Amino acid sequence: QVQLVESGGGLVQAGGSLRLSCAASGSTFTIYGMGWYRQAPGKEREMVGFARNGYSTDYADSVKGRFTISRDNAKNTVSLQMNSLKPEDTAVYYCHARLRPILTTRVTDIWGQGTQVTVSS
């Protein structure tokens, strides 16, 4: 079984920065991509960004130029650097991975437990 463990998050003033980190662990697997989703109160979960192997990273329009996703493929980690934060960035942020457990043909999406990011005005 594969798990995603997140760290970071918290409370920050508008205009500030935060960094989230996530590590995949557990059973042996092949990762095809990693990224982040977020869900604000009363809203649906939305993609923040996704870094697929061998492709440039996709970002939601609302975070382009402010957020940056970085991956360390050797360590199976992904981070989210968030700059120029706005109150509307307040949400629970979820790490996401698309992977295939070894010895299977099933590609699946998994998410971390979520970490709260609150941006005060």
Side-chain angles (χ1 to χ4, degrees):
Q1 187 173 2
V2 183
Q3 291 182 324
L4 299 177
V5 179
E6 300 147 342
S7 61
L11 174 65
V12 65
Q13 288 188 332
S17 298
L18 278 176
R19 185 178 182 87
L20 307 181
S21 297
C22 172
S25 63
S27 303
T28 304
F29 46 83
T30 298
I31 293 180
Y32 294 95
M34 298 185 77
W36 296 87
Y37 276 70
R38 67 184 181 185
Q39 186 167 18
K43 295 187 177 181
E44 293 186 354
R45 190 177 296 190
E46 64 174 359
M47 186 194 77
V48 174
F50 185 65
R52 284 186 298 165
N53 293 358
Y55 293 85
S56 58
T57 302
D58 294 323
Y59 293 96
D61 288 342
S62 58
V63 307
K64 282 181 180 177
R66 300 187 299 122
F67 291 11
T68 302
I69 289 175
S70 300
R71 287 182 56 190
D72 185 331
N73 294 334
K75 297 181 179 180
N76 292 325
T77 61
V78 63
S79 61
L80 177 65
Q81 178 66 42
M82 302 182 289
N83 299 326
S84 302
L85 282 161
K86 305 175 181 179
E88 51 263 43
D89 294 318
T90 295
V92 177
Y93 284 70
Y94 298 90
C95 180
H96 164 238
R98 180 163 296 161
L99 52 82
R100 176 178 58 82
I102 198 167
L103 301 181
T104 75
T105 58
R106 182 183 74 253
V107 178
T108 187
D109 293 293
I110 64 171
W111 283 266
Q113 78 282 3
T115 184
Q116 178 70 46
V117 171
T118 302
V119 184
S120 63
S121 57

